[in-house]
Amino acid sequence: MQLKLGHFLALLGGLLLLLGAVSVLCGLLPVSPAHLLTGTLTPQETSVVWFIRLPRFVCGAAAGAALALAGAVLQGLFGNPLADPGLLGVSGGACLGAVLALLSGFSLRYAFVLPLGAFCGALAATGAVSLLARRARPGGEGTALLLGGVAIGLFCGALTAGLLSFAPPQIMQQYFFWTLGTLSGSSWKLLPLLPVMAVLMSGLLFLGRPLNLLSFGDEQALAAGMEVSCWRRRILLGISLLTALAVCLAGNISFVGLIVPHLTRRFTGPDHRRLLPAAALFGAVALTGCDFIGRVIFPFGEVRTGVVTALLGAPYFLFLLTGK
């Protein structure tokens, strides 16, 4: 069922605003809507709204939009509906960088050290994968990127496991919660990442026509006068950077970059000029919705956001594999 793009974006925008409102008001400490509207919040309510729930919602929306957009672009780039940003080795590199940041000891004193380490690790993995692709045979860059990403991800995973074998229990626990994917560490200190993400997403949103050509295959794109190898390297660099920033904000979140583009295509069709903006907004709704569910489903605590996305995304992934 295809909808008009404007109607679909308006619907998603309304859902995002509604989620923002309920996310700010609901939780272990309820916030009075009357107090919020009249500006008479108690000191406790002010602290909860402005320093915990609002940055958590903003970071969740940004990370969800980034992951879904990266997934939609990657699937169009390779013409593979099962392509996911995690295949590029970015997540593995980010996890390795996070472990190194934790082992340094500075992450306990400075909150920004953990996302900074994750970002540096993701950039290093991206550079390694790009170097492997450049050394591939002409026409085989796409396959080299995917296989190289898997290899680099496995290598980073092995190094991460080795380092954790010698880590104290406190470090292992902190890393464990981070790899589950969570927005609980969101704060306004991460605000400088958002403009960079906005620039990268803006650039990817204008790739609708090139991706439409690439989705038909390299031969069709070459016939249209497109420099396929050059475009692919640029797009993959942008996807890797965007995914790295999303991992810095929310940890290792699974299935958003894989499932959301599929759901979006059911409403927009395969045209990437319609798909990309809708997928980005849908991703913001999906991740903030999963985070809200994880916070309110149990009255005595919260379920990590990555756990909720996996529990909801895995059944739909199996449904996709059935071909129905």
Side-chain angles (χ1 to χ4, degrees):
M1 179 182 66
Q2 293 190 20
L3 301 176
K4 289 186 177 180
L5 181 61
H7 294 167
F8 189 49
L9 292 178
L11 175 62
L12 292 174
L15 286 174
L16 188 61
L17 291 176
L18 178 62
L19 277 170
V22 297
S23 295
V24 166
L25 297 175
C26 300
L28 294 177
L29 176 67
V31 175
S32 170
H35 289 176
L36 183 63
L37 292 174
T38 58
T40 57
L41 293 171
T42 66
Q44 189 178 27
E45 288 177 333
T46 300
S47 178
V48 168
V49 169
W50 295 109
F51 298 108
I52 298 178
R53 293 181 185 169
L54 192 58
R56 182 169 183 154
F57 173 77
V58 172
C59 290
L67 291 172
L69 179 59
V73 172
L74 193 64
Q75 290 172 14
L77 185 64
F78 291 107
N80 186 345
L82 298 181
D84 179 84
L87 292 177
L88 297 177
V90 177
S91 298
C95 290
L96 178 58
V99 167
L100 292 174
L102 289 171
L103 292 175
S104 70
F106 291 107
S107 61
L108 299 176
R109 287 185 290 175
Y110 306 102
F112 67 89
V113 172
L114 181 60
L116 179 62
F119 182 68
C120 292
L123 283 184
T126 300
V129 174
S130 299
L131 183 61
L132 289 173
R134 285 188 177 184
R135 300 176 67 89
R137 296 177 180 178
E141 295 90 347
T143 302
L145 280 164
L146 288 179
L147 295 179
V150 172
I152 293 297
L154 292 173
F155 180 74
C156 290
L159 286 178
T160 300
L163 290 172
L164 288 175
S165 301
F166 304 98
Q170 182 183 8
I171 297 296
M172 293 187 66
Q173 184 179 21
Q174 190 175 357
Y175 173 78
F176 174 72
F177 284 125
W178 184 81
T179 53
L180 287 178
T182 179
L183 294 168
S184 59
S186 301
S187 70
W188 294 124
K189 294 179 181 179
L190 299 173
L191 189 63
L193 299 180
L194 301 184
V196 182
M197 296 179 72
V199 171
L200 290 171
M201 285 192 283
S202 298
L204 293 177
L205 286 173
F206 287 101
L207 296 176
R209 185 176 179 276
L211 285 173
N212 285 341
L213 289 174
L214 288 170
S215 62
F216 289 112
D218 290 358
E219 293 183 359
Q220 295 287 342
L222 289 170
M226 184 181 227
E227 296 181 8
V228 175
S229 298
C230 182
W231 273 96
R232 183 172 281 122
R233 283 196 296 268
R234 291 175 181 174
I235 293 173
L236 283 169
L237 178 60
I239 292 173
S240 299
L241 293 175
L242 189 58
T243 305
L245 291 170
V247 171
C248 293
L249 289 180
N252 196 11
I253 299 288
S254 59
F255 285 103
V256 173
L258 176 64
I259 300 301
V260 170
H262 281 278
L263 291 172
T264 308
R265 281 190 199 93
R266 293 179 176 270
F267 299 100
T268 65
D271 188 346
H272 288 86
R273 291 171 295 183
R274 294 163 49 87
L275 173 65
L276 296 184
L281 195 51
F282 202 162
V285 171
L287 190 55
T288 53
C290 288
D291 181 58
F292 177 73
I293 292 172
R295 286 199 299 112
V296 303
I297 191 171
F298 293 118
F300 51 82
E302 71 174 66
V303 179
R304 299 288 168 169
T305 312
V307 175
V308 179
T309 59
L311 289 174
L312 296 178
Y316 186 76
F317 181 70
L318 294 175
F319 169 77
L320 289 176
L321 293 179
T322 63
K324 297 181 180 179

